[in-house]
Amino acid sequence: MTTRISIVSCIVATSLAAAMFSTKSPTLLADGLKCDMTQYKATTGLTAAMDQDVLVVSWSGQTGSELRARFAIDKSQPVVRDLAVRKQGGQWATLGQNLLPEYHVVSGLRRMSSDHVGSFPAAGIPLTPEVVAKNRWFAFHDAPLEVPGVSGTQMPPLPRKPEEIRRADATFNVTGCGVKTDGARLEVNFPGLSMGIFAGSLQFTVYRGSNLLRMDAIAKTEEPFVAYKYDAGLKGFSTDVMPRVIWRDTADGPQQYQFGGVRNETMVPLKARNRVLVAEGKAGSVATFPAPHKFFWAREIHKNLGYVWYRKDSDKQFGMGVRQAEHEESTLRGEIDDFALYNAPPGTLQHMGMYFYASPDAGEPTRQSVLAFTHGDTYVPLAGYKTFTNHWHLRFTERVRASGSLDTPLPDLAAMKGLGLNIVGLSDFHGDMHLNDPGALRFKDEKDYAEASRRASDKDFLVLPWEEPNVYFGGHYNVLFPKPVYFSRVRKEGQPFTETDPVYGKVYHLGSSEDLQHLLEAEHGYWYTSHPRTKSSGGQPDVYWDKPFAKNDIFLGLDFTQAMGVDLSEKRMTEWRSFDATDTMNNLNANTGLRPKYLLPDIDTYVQGPEDNLYSGYQTAYLKLDRVPGPDEDWSPVLRAMHDGNFFVTTGEILLTNFAVTGSGSKRTLAADVSWTFPLEFVEVVWGDGKKIDRQIIPATDLPAFGSKHFSIPFDATGKSWVRFAVWDSAGNPGFVNAIWLNTTQPGRLAY
């Protein structure tokens, strides 16, 4: 139950030190707490009850553990009176008492970048105020907290002004709470949160069968074009009960702090591997961590900027939680202006979430329990499938040449292997090397690129020398070939489209979209749109849906890059940029004889290594393949699986196998085997009839963490042209299967 609060007037920006959370713990004076229990339903292993002025929530955890959180109000502020755990049949052990929630928000003004702005006129779309107002929410090259900003890369007006940046700590005027049972979870909501230009409520969520405790500030603003970040946590943990915090550094070395230092004036950011910090005591431990993907906006690199924090408030107390940095650290490629923050459109309820994990175990076993939610930040092997991602700008050719040997391994590829990737598509020549050379220099680059990729490949690990040429079709796109292909992006006067070169054999020279289309046809290649509806593809794929080079099966579809345009009020990642665009294309192509268009996992990132925070910014496709082609084989099996749609896409936490649509006529059944880590949120069957898009949403909140289920969902196929299937968990992570045609006379698959 959320009570709407009037927006507090904006505050003037202050210095960083002054803006940090207060480190003082106020004297706790209990207020009377009344909770609306009308939406609560008692279930085994998940209960809530009032005990005088305290709400007692108890739930069953993992491996037989039990957990209890008691909530109260002190001086109009919600407080966790105590957080306790016990092993089955054991005694309750208190891990924290009188814990106070804290939130801090920093906001700026959303702008569009010059490439995004310029993409619309280039695509023939007038840059009207309406177009700008809609599309500035999907900015990538934006850094709202950078003052004054970099002229030439950001939409006017620049420079940014200090007064654009506003900071606020959460304050509370709480008089009661609402308790709601939702399947196997229980929500406790405290209306009365104010945070500068944001206002709303504070919510705690617990999950039967899991040791998770989620905390959210659920708040909205009515200000226009707000981009923001937040930090959050609980303060009041006892240094006697929890005498140290532990984490792993970016080299995976164990680290600890035993609260033997001086009092901290501000939070201490930690570049913790896997984004996990654990407070440890004799009776148990508490971990804190953010959502593994939804917490992160898109960046060109994935350096670890310190996503967890502790703060020693006194010799007796400390706080801990999650944070986002305010600025990019690396300026190697100008990444300073690729730090877009979250979107907060007016009136949208932003879910500023974070997690705690309470356990009766010691610190390291608890850290391992948290890592299980992301499979240790890896893509787990799955029989009959191979993992694939594309679009890595490694400057591979340039770097291996500089090393003096094409055999030199790059740390980037070591990191990809460590993630559990089997097939990696590179995108060199994205501004590097002899990009616009019409012949020999360009072909030498491509030859070295192919050879270095060949040498970097291994058994069950294939490196593909693909490219993002970005000429003639409009916007940005990736091309995929089943073998090395030599082509120049320019065609001089008098140069033929194709010729036989004495060194490189058959080569191509491109001078038009027709040339590019003929190249793809001749070499059995494919292409798809990069970062649709943003960056330099702001007008794509909309402007070429009906163009000859896109109205065919060589055009596979669009990329799925999860974090461009993050809006924490939305239930689905990149809902408009990727899902809506693909669904619209499939409606346009219904009954045309073409295959469906797909979403393909796309990374779009640059140089980085095993020490970086890679997993949270990535996604993968599990291709239906029994084996990975070897270094000297062609890559047709990889392309065939992509072309035929024989794969599912995931951020790693949800796996979907044995997908099929059975039945005939109007009576169809969609079936899939699904496994997951975080508790699920919902599954959905999405369809189109050639004109509109609709869906059936099936709540899945009754399913516990670390589960599996065979879904069998009947649906009426009357009038429907295509259908797709998606699963979303409570942390915002997806697993989905792309569209299939329901008319069996059209090409496509009914199962994989």
Side-chain angles (χ1 to χ4, degrees):
M1 181 179 68
T2 303
T3 301
R4 295 185 176 180
I5 310 295
S6 61
I7 305 298
V8 179
S9 60
C10 303
I11 63 172
V12 178
T14 58
S15 68
L16 178 62
M20 287 299 180
F21 306 122
S22 168
T23 61
K24 296 181 180 180
S25 295
T27 302
L28 299 178
L29 301 172
D31 302 338
L33 173 63
K34 294 183 179 179
C35 290
D36 181 351
M37 308 286 286
T38 57
Q39 296 187 73
Y40 165 71
K41 180 181 178 181
T43 60
T44 302
L46 186 65
T47 62
M50 292 299 302
D51 182 5
Q52 297 182 0
D53 289 330
V54 174
L55 174 68
V56 182
V57 176
S58 301
W59 71 102
S60 58
Q62 294 161 229
T63 62
S65 62
E66 296 178 88
L67 298 95
R68 184 184 68 201
R70 300 197 306 150
F71 299 97
I73 300 176
D74 291 301
K75 299 176 70 173
S76 300
Q77 175 170 355
V79 58
V80 181
R81 184 65 74 208
D82 59 59
L83 177 62
V85 296
R86 67 179 178 185
K87 295 182 179 179
Q88 193 169 27
Q91 297 295 314
W92 285 108
T94 299
L95 303 180
Q97 288 183 298
N98 298 322
L99 305 176
L100 298 178
E102 54 178 271
Y103 269 85
H104 177 70
V105 68
V106 185
S107 64
L109 178 67
R110 168 66 69 230
R111 288 173 168 85
M112 290 172 67
S113 58
S114 57
D115 60 345
H116 194 183
V117 172
S119 68
F120 292 101
I125 300 173
L127 202 62
T128 64
E130 292 77 16
V131 168
V132 172
K134 179 176 182 177
N135 286 277
R136 67 197 289 180
W137 292 117
F138 305 100
F140 173 74
H141 295 291
D142 190 20
L145 304 184
E146 284 295 329
V147 177
V150 180
S151 180
T153 64
Q154 303 297 316
M155 177 182 171
L158 279 182
R160 294 189 184 92
K161 300 176 182 179
E163 55 265 31
E164 291 178 17
I165 300 174
R166 292 176 282 194
R167 303 174 184 275
D169 298 336
T171 60
F172 298 91
N173 186 20
V174 173
T175 59
C177 75
V179 182
K180 178 182 178 181
T181 303
D182 182 5
R185 72 182 60 167
L186 189 144
E187 300 167 353
V188 181
N189 188 280
F190 294 93
L193 164 70
S194 295
M195 192 159 47
I197 61 173
F198 289 91
S201 63
L202 182 78
Q203 181 167 292
F204 293 92
T205 306
V206 302
Y207 307 85
R208 184 177 62 218
S210 170
N211 293 44
L212 292 174
L213 171 65
R214 177 172 171 132
M215 184 172 73
D216 285 87
I218 305 176
K220 66 178 180 178
T221 179
E222 300 298 339
E223 294 279 324
F225 300 116
V226 170
Y228 75 99
K229 56 139 285 191
Y230 68 92
D231 309 321
L234 289 172
K235 62 182 177 182
F237 288 100
S238 167
T239 57
D240 292 329
V241 176
M242 298 283 190
R244 71 169 186 162
V245 288
I246 67 168
W247 68 97
R248 293 292 184 103
D249 60 31
T250 55
D252 206 24
Q255 299 290 343
Q256 65 172 322
Y257 178 67
Q258 301 183 69
F259 299 105
V262 300
R263 175 179 174 271
N264 300 125
E265 296 295 330
T266 61
M267 62 177 63
V268 179
L270 297 176
K271 295 185 177 183
R273 192 171 185 87
N274 310 115
R275 310 159 303 283
V276 181
L277 173 67
V278 185
E280 182 186 56
K282 291 183 179 179
S285 53
V286 178
T288 185
F289 60 99
H293 300 279
K294 198 167 185 178
F295 186 68
F296 299 91
W297 54 79
R299 294 156 60 203
E300 288 205 327
I301 55 175
H302 295 85
K303 303 296 181 185
N304 191 321
L305 300 180
Y307 303 113
V308 291
W309 60 270
Y310 72 82
R311 186 189 59 236
K312 182 181 178 183
D313 295 332
S314 70
D315 287 340
K316 294 296 184 180
Q317 290 187 331
F318 69 95
M320 61 189 292
V322 304
R323 67 180 290 276
Q324 281 279 15
E326 295 190 17
H327 308 280
E328 184 62 85
E329 286 185 355
S330 173
T331 58
L332 181 67
R333 297 187 57 262
E335 295 94 347
I336 200 75
D337 273 322
D338 300 331
F339 211 70
L341 314 182
Y342 310 114
N343 291 327
T348 60
L349 283 174
Q350 300 294 308
H351 288 248
M352 307 178 201
M354 62 162 299
Y355 290 95
F356 293 96
Y357 184 98
S359 171
D361 297 329
E364 181 56 25
T366 294
R367 196 181 75 88
Q368 292 297 327
S369 294
V370 172
L371 292 187
F373 286 99
T374 62
H375 304 292
D377 282 10
T378 63
Y379 305 118
V380 295
L382 197 58
Y385 293 84
K386 298 298 177 182
T387 54
F388 160 80
T389 64
N390 194 43
H391 200 163
W392 303 70
H393 299 303
L394 302 188
R395 307 182 80 91
F396 191 32
T397 313
E398 178 183 293
R399 290 165 68 195
V400 295
R401 277 183 183 172
S403 75
S405 170
L406 297 182
D407 288 311
T408 301
L410 294 185
D412 318 65
L413 296 177
M416 296 178 203
K417 279 188 177 182
L419 284 172
L421 289 171
N422 302 120
I423 304 165
V424 175
L426 304 183
S427 285
D428 254 11
F429 315 135
H430 190 60
D432 53 316
M433 309 305 293
H434 302 94
L435 193 63
N436 293 315
D437 179 77
L441 293 176
R442 160 81 170 175
F443 299 150
K444 178 65 165 65
D445 293 343
E446 290 179 314
K447 183 176 178 60
D448 287 350
Y449 185 32
E451 180 59 22
S453 298
R454 173 177 170 269
R455 298 187 192 191
S457 299
D458 190 11
K459 184 178 181 180
D460 214 32
F461 185 71
L462 178 64
V463 181
L464 298 169
W466 291 341
E467 190 171 341
E468 188 184 24
N470 306 333
V471 290
Y472 308 124
F473 283 170
H476 284 199
Y477 59 91
N478 278 272
V479 293
L480 327 169
F481 291 106
K483 62 181 181 180
V485 175
Y486 299 102
F487 68 97
S488 68
R489 304 195 325 160
V490 295
R491 183 175 174 185
K492 296 191 302 183
E493 185 176 352
Q495 242 180 349
F497 165 61
T498 182
E499 61 181 332
T500 301
D501 185 278
V503 176
Y504 303 104
K506 190 173 186 178
V507 300
Y508 297 86
H509 305 282
L510 307 182
S512 66
S513 61
E514 291 80 10
D515 285 348
L516 178 53
Q517 181 71 16
H518 292 154
L519 166 65
L520 292 165
E521 292 170 353
E523 296 295 342
H524 307 290
Y526 299 98
W527 70 284
Y528 68 88
T529 306
S530 305
H531 43 78
R533 294 176 170 175
T534 190
K535 298 173 73 174
S536 293
S537 297
Q540 284 76 26
D542 306 69
V543 297
Y544 51 57
W545 276 327
D546 292 321
K547 295 286 184 11
F549 56 79
K551 205 74 173 176
N552 57 64
D553 289 335
I554 291 175
F555 175 47
L556 295 179
L558 315 175
D559 85 18
F560 174 71
T561 307
Q562 65 188 39
M564 291 182 186
V566 178
D567 180 344
L568 297 180
S569 72
E570 294 182 344
K571 293 183 177 181
R572 302 168 186 85
M573 294 175 174
T574 189
E575 184 167 357
W576 180 75
R577 282 200 322 100
S578 296
F579 287 106
D580 176 79
T582 310
D583 292 345
T584 300
M585 282 196 296
N586 285 327
N587 263 353
L588 291 171
N589 288 334
N591 302 311
T592 63
L594 297 177
R595 289 181 176 273
K597 301 307 177 190
Y598 305 130
L599 289 177
L600 298 160
D602 194 276
I603 305 303
D604 197 3
T605 191
Y606 291 81
V607 176
Q608 49 210 305
E611 74 282 2
D612 294 322
N613 182 52
L614 305 185
Y615 180 82
S616 62
Y618 294 177
Q619 53 280 318
T620 190
Y622 277 74
L623 303 180
K624 187 68 172 173
L625 288 174
D626 291 327
R627 56 181 290 271
V628 173
D632 294 314
E633 299 178 70
D634 78 16
W635 318 314
S636 295
V638 176
L639 293 177
R640 190 177 307 116
M642 296 166 65
H643 172 259
D644 293 346
N646 288 333
F647 61 91
F648 67 88
V649 180
T650 178
T651 51
E653 296 77 15
I654 298 173
L655 304 177
L656 297 89
T657 58
N658 300 317
F659 172 80
V661 174
T662 59
S664 61
S666 62
K667 295 182 178 181
R668 304 291 183 93
T669 299
L670 185 150
D673 292 323
V674 182
S675 62
W676 61 87
T677 59
F678 283 92
L680 290 188
E681 190 73 18
F682 63 93
V683 302
E684 60 181 346
V685 180
V686 185
W687 60 78
D689 62 5
K691 295 181 179 179
K692 65 179 183 297
I693 301 163
D694 207 346
R695 67 190 71 220
Q696 177 187 358
I697 297 177
I698 301 159
T701 55
D702 60 323
L703 298 171
F706 299 103
S708 62
K709 179 180 173 67
H710 175 76
F711 285 91
S712 182
I713 305 169
F715 67 97
D716 184 353
T718 303
K720 298 177 176 64
S721 301
W722 55 267
V723 65
R724 64 175 175 85
F725 180 62
V727 182
W728 297 86
D729 71 23
S730 55
N733 306 311
F736 63 87
V737 180
N738 279 290
I740 65 167
W741 298 129
L742 293 172
N743 182 347
T744 55
T745 63
Q746 290 209 161
R749 84 244 184 262
L750 288 176
Y752 73 75

